[in-house]
Every structure is written in C-alpha cells, then in structure tokens.
Amino acid sequence: MYDYKWPYPLEYDKEEIINADVLVLGGGIAGCMAAIAAARAGQKVVLVEKGATKRSGAGGSGCDHWESAATNPCSKVTPEELTQAMLHDNEGFNNGISHYIECREGYDRLLDIEKMGGKIRDTEDEFVGAEFRDDETKLMFAYDYENRFTLRIWGTTFKPAMYKELKRLGVNIVDRVMVTSLLTEGGAQGARCVGATGIHTRTGKFYIFNAKSSIMCMSRPARVWLFSPELPGLCEFRPPQCIGDGHAMGWRAGAEFNMMEKSVPAEFSASGRSYPPYGAGNNHNTWYAASIIDSRGKEIPYADRDGNILEDVKDRFRPAKGQKFFMKGGGIDFPKYEIEGPETLPFSKMIEEGYKLPFYADLTKLPEEERKVIWGMMVGEEGKTKVPIYGNYTKAGFDPSKHVLQCYGTGWTSASFLPQERQLFGLPGGFFNDWTLSTNIEGLYAAGDALYASDCYGHAAATGYYAGRHAAKYAAVNELKKWDIQQIEEEKNRVYAPLKNDPDMSIGWKELNMAIAKTMQNYCGEVKYDDLLKVGLSRLKEYEEKIVPQTFAYNPHELTRLLEVFDILTVSQIIIEASLARKISMKPLYFKRGDSIEDESSKDKLIVIRQSNGKAVTREVAVDYFGDLKENYEKYNQDYIRGDR
C-alpha cells in the first residue's frame, strides 16, 4: 500500500507562462556562461535548470584542471596549433569550431570567473617554487610544464561565483524545472524555435517558455548501456540527472546531430561494477603523473613517446626530444605520435615481464609538491571528489605520504567492463553546429555538452559564453513569436499520461531503463551488424509504442525520472539510426562493423542525422566543413575582438 504523503503542493493543472529575449536551457557551466553573456548584451534572459543552479550540472561540484587555455600569458602554444592537434589526433572527427573557441576564448572565461569570485591562482602561495607554478602570475599548470596550456584551478569555487553573477545581472533563474520539449513556430518540425515547455520536479506545474532565441546547454546522454536499478542514486561520470534530455527534445524538434554512432568502451559506471571516479588509484587525468607499483612495491617505469625510460619524475612533465608539446586529458585516449606524452609502460606488458597484480597508485615517493597537488587539490577540486573521495578517505585515515591506493582496471578506469558495455564519453555525438553555434533550427543555439565532440569544463564555459553572445544578437533583431496551442496540448498530454495509469498494472522508470540498457548491450554493443541493429531498433520502437503507455508515476519526482527514461529511449534510437547509417568501421569513432562494405568513400565524412516525419534522414558532410579556423572565427566575431564583450 502506497501511503506516503508528498511534501509539496501538487499543481498538475496549473500553467505558468514566462517570456524572454534569450532562453537558456540547462543551468550547468555552459548554461550559466551563456546566460551571463546574453545578459551582458542587454537581453532579458531566463535560465531553466532541472536542479538548483548554484551547484547543478556536470561541473557544479568542482573541476581541478582547465584544458586548452592557449592564450594564457605562460602558454607557448597557439590556439591554432592546439586545435589542429585535436583534429589530427581524431583524424578530423572532432568539432573544430567549438574547440577553436575553447582554445581562443577559454582563458578569457577564466579571467571572467576570477572577477566573479572564482579562484584560479595560488594566491596563498601554497606551492611557491613548484615546477608547475609560475611565480609571477601565480598560475598553476598540469601535464606539460614546458608549454603550460592546461591550468590547475580551484573549481569548487566556480559555480557559486557564476550563480552570484547571474543574480547580479538580473537573470531570471527558474530552478527545479525539467525542460520537456522545444516549441517551434506553428508546431512544425524543423521550424524556428520559439521556446520550450517544462514541468516542476516537485509540484508538477506546467511551464511555457516563450523566447526570441534559445540556447541548448544540457548534458550529454548517459544510462544508455549501463544502469543498475539497485543503485539509482549513482550514475556514470556526470550526475544522474544529466542523461541527454536536450538531445531527445532536439531530435523530436528536427535538429541535426552528428557522430551519434560513436560510443567508447565503458570507463566509469555505478551499475554495480566500478568504484567512484577518481576514488581508485590510477595515473591519468586528475591523478597524472602518479607512480604505479605492483603488489611487491616494484615501480612500473614511465617512458616517453619513443620508449625512453624516464628516471626522473620531472621528465614525466616534459615533451620528448624534438617534440613541440604533448597533450593529456579529456578526449586524448590514444594519442598520435606527435602529441603523445609520457606514460607508464603498458600494464599487459608489465604482467608478461613478471610484475604482479594488483597494481597501486603510489604517491609516497613523489616530490612533496606533486603529492600535495594531486591529493588535496586535484583530488578535492574535481567534480564530486571533495566530499566522497578526499573528505571520506582522509577521515578514514588515508595518508598519501604513507599509503597506496589500488588500481582497478587499466588507465583511469575504476573497473574492468564487458565489451558490450559502452558509454558516451570522451568526444561523443551531439548537436551539429555552424560558426555561430547555431543549429539547423532557426533561433536555436547549442553549447557545452549539447554539442558534438564536447569535452570538459573549459569547453563548456567558452562555448556557452560564445553561444550567449550570438543568441543575444539574434534576439536583438527578431520579434517574439507565439507558440502553437496544439503543440502545447500534445506535450501536456504526453508528460502527464503516466500519472493516470494504474500502478498495479504498469511499470516504473527503473524497469524501463534497465530494459533499454539490456537492449543496447545486446544489439548495439562493441561490434555492429545491420541485422542486430535493426532488431534492436524494432525492440526500442516496441517499448515506445507498447511499454511507454503502460508506465506510471506516483508523484512529480517519479514523473521526472520517467520522462528522463523516455528521453534515454529516444537517444538510444538516434544511436542505432546513426549506427545503421555508418556502413564502415571507423577507429576514431570507436565504431567497429562486423559487416563492413568495401566502399570507403565516407571514411572522411561526418554523418549528420535528423528526424523528419518519424523517419531518420541523413546527409554526409566533410570532416573539415568549418574551413579555416582563424579566418572564420574572426569573420563572425569582430565585435568580440574589438572588445565589445
């Protein structure tokens, strides 16, 4: 008998209409920066966030390093060099536009955040004299200490600082509202975006947002292949509410997507298989460049890209002889020779040579400043590490000067996964964009994790601010268009339908999410086959037609979770449709075909996909469609270059 009393007023039958010049969908890093930019441009801005903006989103709880800040005063690498390296490393399957924006404007955003109250320098002189610190600017760097384009930062201070700036600028922040659909002119798929709808996650109230321009700033999809109904409070790498709502509503509205066929072998998951991110020993990303030892205490050597053993810890942070710079961090899983950085010798090779499992991350013998910056700053400032990892481990007695931490899996993973267990990690698919970060839908812009080949905190902040500028320009010269009444009514019927079902005769959100994950593992796993993909797509459509109408929710919270799973179902269909369209194996997309065709004419083409009248429509676009980076950036951003920010 379900007799729990819901603690909030139920307002399922109420509507609230909110008008804006610029509507920002998602209050994470990209969303906050987009709203700040649009508000600074003099526009009336509304920001809608499913959680609480002050700490919500993938980066809401922190970040320890800011990648690709090529214009900082200590950098020896240009934005052009960095972006070209990213493109080359992924054989062109990367977002040249968004990453050039990241490289060119990322440091500007750091300075913005510093003015808002975020901490980006070692102002307490805690690390004076360290190899990774510039004592003049007090900036601190990670990875390549020679070229200094990745900064260590105190990211736990950033989101509250952004929130304070939003309030100062008068942005209308609408918290705890899940956006459920995009509104289009006349209700037509692919027509101009005129706003969005949403429901309050605690009261169930229905919201109608009407705007001249909108910016999609929601997170990438998750829980597609990996889900545990026993551990629903945990997710993959990003927070559990970040599951790709924006992708699903964009698909329904007719937006174009790219690289949706890409998925990578699972690295992080709370589906009963892995430890929390950064909670197990490793030597990557936040833990770079920790020493790794075997069970007898024998250290696994580091080597440069040419196989030369590095005896001195300092050499782990230097380019190899004849190398301009190296790259580490997000999206750099299997670097090309040109940018390959120092790394431990392969674990598999070490086992063959007699090293004994298990392996451990060992900070005890590192120079004190390196040990201190990894455990305490990096592990502590990164998202979700401050309390569950740094706080709890320290409280339990972990001392990095005395203790080692076991590695599970290889690299920076926290477990060993099955081949069919996949994730949208690294540089996944997303909205296809032009040089203004506009989508194919007029009036709809995209930033951060919503974009294809998205990656990391600096990318989200830079693209968010950039999209905010351009969306503000659009809003300044366009009129507010009214929404379509029929589209509103259809959306209300869709989102509230589960409340009307009999719980004794229906299923809940966990069961449906688990079924989707199993289907994706079975039919869209490591190796793709047309016949399997088609069966999987048929199964997902069967869920949509027969199971979704039989789902139920007791309250607004459960309704929110269920609507998320509906979106996961939609995203899964996009992935399979894109996989069917990609007929050959593509290593940079981690896309393996068991039935590849011989025609490789699409090997340097992006497959851009959208929905039209219930059918998937695809087209091919050259991977370098964006043209000359510097020339096109400057063509569209003369006002910013002049200082009109």
Side-chain angles (χ1 to χ4, degrees):
M1 179 68 181
Y2 188 87
D3 57 2
Y4 175 74
K5 182 176 175 57
W6 187 245
Y8 305 99
L10 295 177
E11 300 178 311
Y12 296 131
D13 297 324
K14 293 186 178 179
E15 284 184 2
E16 183 170 344
I17 299 170
I18 301 178
N19 295 324
D21 295 327
V22 177
L23 174 65
V24 179
L25 305 174
I29 305 309
C32 285
M33 296 306 288
I36 288 168
R40 287 177 177 174
Q43 299 299 300
K44 178 183 176 183
V45 181
V46 172
L47 182 151
V48 190
E49 163 57 35
K50 190 193 297 183
T53 301
K54 189 172 184 178
R55 277 295 185 189
S56 64
S61 57
C63 175
D64 62 351
H65 63 287
W66 184 290
E67 296 177 5
S68 306
T71 61
N72 86 78
C74 301
S75 172
K76 297 179 182 178
V77 182
T78 68
E80 292 76 25
E81 288 174 317
L82 264 187
T83 311
Q84 288 296 346
M86 293 182 203
L87 291 168
H88 173 65
D89 191 54
N90 291 275
E91 296 177 25
F93 288 90
N94 204 337
N95 194 328
I97 295 172
S98 69
H99 287 290
Y100 186 72
I101 293 167
E102 173 190 19
C103 293
R104 181 134 177 184
E105 296 189 14
Y107 185 64
D108 292 350
R109 301 290 73 79
L110 270 178
L111 295 178
D112 271 350
I113 293 168
E114 183 178 39
K115 290 176 183 176
M116 297 174 202
K119 180 175 168 62
I120 73 167
R121 305 172 199 268
D122 180 26
T123 50
E124 284 77 35
D125 295 332
E126 189 178 0
F127 294 95
V128 170
E131 286 279 317
F132 49 77
R133 184 184 193 266
D134 176 66
D135 288 339
E136 182 178 347
T137 64
K138 301 191 177 184
L139 295 172
M140 306 221 303
F141 301 93
Y143 309 142
D144 186 339
Y145 292 177
E146 285 284 346
N147 292 285
R148 298 189 163 193
F149 52 84
T150 299
L151 280 78
R152 303 185 198 258
I153 41 90
W154 287 258
T156 58
T157 67
F158 282 17
K159 198 71 190 303
M162 293 179 195
Y163 183 76
K164 183 179 177 181
E165 179 69 1
L166 290 169
K167 301 294 283 186
R168 187 188 72 81
L169 291 168
V171 172
N172 181 4
I173 301 171
V174 184
D175 277 343
R176 306 205 183 276
V177 170
M178 177 186 182
V179 181
T180 65
S181 75
L182 295 172
L183 296 175
T184 55
E185 192 169 5
Q189 194 174 49
R192 175 183 166 181
C193 182
V194 297
T197 64
I199 63 162
H200 198 283
T201 63
R202 291 179 172 177
T203 69
K205 182 196 284 187
F206 192 82
Y207 284 77
I208 301 170
F209 300 97
N210 195 195
K212 297 175 183 177
S213 66
S214 301
I215 311 173
M216 178 60 68
C217 297
M218 296 185 193
S219 194
R220 63 183 61 176
R223 300 202 326 244
V224 175
W225 287 267
L226 298 163
F227 178 70
S228 168
E230 293 83 17
L231 301 168
L234 300 173
C235 196
E236 297 177 12
F237 184 63
R238 283 155 172 77
Q241 74 273 20
C242 296
I243 53 82
D245 294 320
H247 286 56
M249 68 185 73
W251 178 256
R252 293 192 291 266
E256 288 188 325
F257 291 84
N258 177 34
M259 284 174 38
M260 290 301 294
E261 68 272 29
K262 180 182 180 182
S263 63
V264 300
E267 296 179 345
F268 293 120
S269 171
S271 63
R273 203 174 277 281
S274 76
Y275 288 89
Y278 309 112
N282 63 77
N283 66 330
H284 282 252
N285 210 42
T286 287
W287 281 79
Y288 188 81
S291 297
I292 302 294
I293 60 172
D294 74 355
S295 59
R296 301 168 302 179
K298 188 175 181 181
E299 186 170 338
I300 296 176
Y302 270 80
D304 66 15
R305 64 176 182 173
D306 297 309
N308 300 309
I309 301 300
L310 305 177
E311 303 291 350
D312 193 328
V313 170
K314 292 181 180 180
D315 291 332
R316 300 175 188 177
F317 306 97
R318 302 275 184 254
K321 184 177 181 180
Q323 185 179 32
K324 174 70 187 291
F325 62 91
F326 71 84
M327 295 180 73
K328 292 280 185 181
I332 313 293
D333 289 331
F334 304 105
K336 293 283 195 300
Y337 178 76
E338 291 85 348
I339 62 164
E340 184 178 356
E343 184 56 81
T344 50
L345 295 177
F347 285 10
S348 57
K349 182 179 179 181
M350 293 298 96
I351 293 172
E352 290 176 5
E353 294 186 4
Y355 286 76
K356 301 295 184 182
L357 290 172
F359 294 157
Y360 298 85
D362 181 10
L363 305 181
T364 65
K365 297 182 179 65
L366 288 182
E368 182 181 1
E369 66 271 15
E370 293 291 350
R371 179 172 62 247
K372 186 178 175 183
V373 82
I374 290 175
W375 188 264
M377 182 181 170
M378 303 297 278
V379 178
E381 292 295 330
E382 179 58 288
K384 302 187 292 295
T385 64
K386 195 175 190 74
V387 175
I389 308 302
Y390 180 71
N392 287 344
Y393 283 31
T394 301
K395 186 177 180 180
F398 178 77
D399 183 344
S401 68
K402 300 176 181 178
H403 304 134
V404 296
L405 202 59
Q406 187 174 335
C407 303
Y408 299 86
T410 59
W412 65 328
T413 62
S414 296
S416 294
F417 290 88
L418 300 173
Q420 67 268 30
E421 294 177 318
R422 315 287 292 175
Q423 283 180 292
L424 299 181
F425 204 60
L427 302 167
F431 283 82
F432 188 60
N433 59 275
D434 66 11
W435 269 103
T436 64
L437 293 187
S438 176
T439 69
N440 63 303
I441 295 179
E442 184 184 349
L444 178 65
Y445 297 77
D449 266 1
L451 293 165
Y452 85 92
S454 62
D455 185 37
C456 297
Y457 208 108
H459 178 268
T463 57
Y465 199 89
Y466 185 100
R469 293 203 312 268
H470 287 278
K473 291 179 192 176
Y474 180 90
V477 296
N478 283 277
E479 298 295 323
L480 194 67
K481 295 285 187 179
K482 188 73 172 177
W483 62 84
D484 181 73
I485 295 296
Q486 182 178 347
Q487 189 177 26
I488 294 288
E489 291 305 314
E490 288 175 355
E491 182 62 8
K492 288 179 70 174
N493 291 335
R494 183 184 78 87
V495 300
Y496 288 140
L499 297 168
K500 302 171 185 176
N501 289 336
D502 181 355
D504 294 329
M505 303 294 291
S506 306
I507 68 169
W509 68 273
K510 295 178 188 177
E511 292 85 353
L512 180 56
N513 199 157
M514 188 172 180
I516 295 167
K518 287 294 185 183
T519 297
M520 291 299 286
Q521 286 188 27
N522 289 338
Y523 300 105
C524 189
E526 180 185 30
V527 183
K528 311 312 192 278
Y529 295 88
D530 258 17
D531 290 345
L532 285 180
L533 292 169
K534 288 174 182 176
V535 172
L537 187 60
S538 176
R539 183 68 54 83
L540 294 177
K541 288 183 176 178
E542 185 178 350
Y543 293 162
E544 185 177 59
E545 294 169 2
K546 297 181 179 180
I547 305 302
V548 167
Q550 298 180 37
T551 55
F552 77 95
Y554 282 119
N555 53 51
H557 173 79
E558 287 198 356
L559 181 59
T560 300
R561 298 284 84 82
L562 189 55
L563 293 173
E564 287 175 342
V565 178
F566 293 171
D567 288 342
I568 292 170
L569 177 57
T570 299
V571 167
S572 300
Q573 291 173 318
I574 304 172
I575 291 169
I576 292 187
E577 292 281 15
S579 297
L580 283 166
R582 176 71 68 183
K583 298 299 184 183
I584 60 174
S585 297
M586 294 296 298
K587 185 177 179 181
L589 296 176
Y590 294 79
F591 187 81
K592 187 185 295 185
R593 270 279 189 178
D595 53 1
S596 279
I597 62 173
E598 292 185 7
D599 180 10
E600 293 195 350
S601 60
S602 64
K603 66 182 177 63
D604 57 354
K605 298 291 195 303
L606 303 169
I607 292 179
V608 178
I609 186 169
R610 64 181 173 88
Q611 186 190 60
S612 178
N613 297 318
K615 301 290 185 182
V617 178
T618 63
R619 64 187 179 99
E620 292 184 351
V621 177
V623 292
D624 58 354
Y625 74 95
F626 38 77
D628 184 271
L629 297 171
K630 188 172 187 289
E631 178 183 324
N632 281 302
Y633 171 87
E634 294 182 353
K635 175 181 176 182
Y636 288 95
N637 294 282
Q638 281 300 308
D639 51 351
Y640 185 79
I641 294 168
R642 289 194 304 267
D644 304 337
R645 303 185 181 188

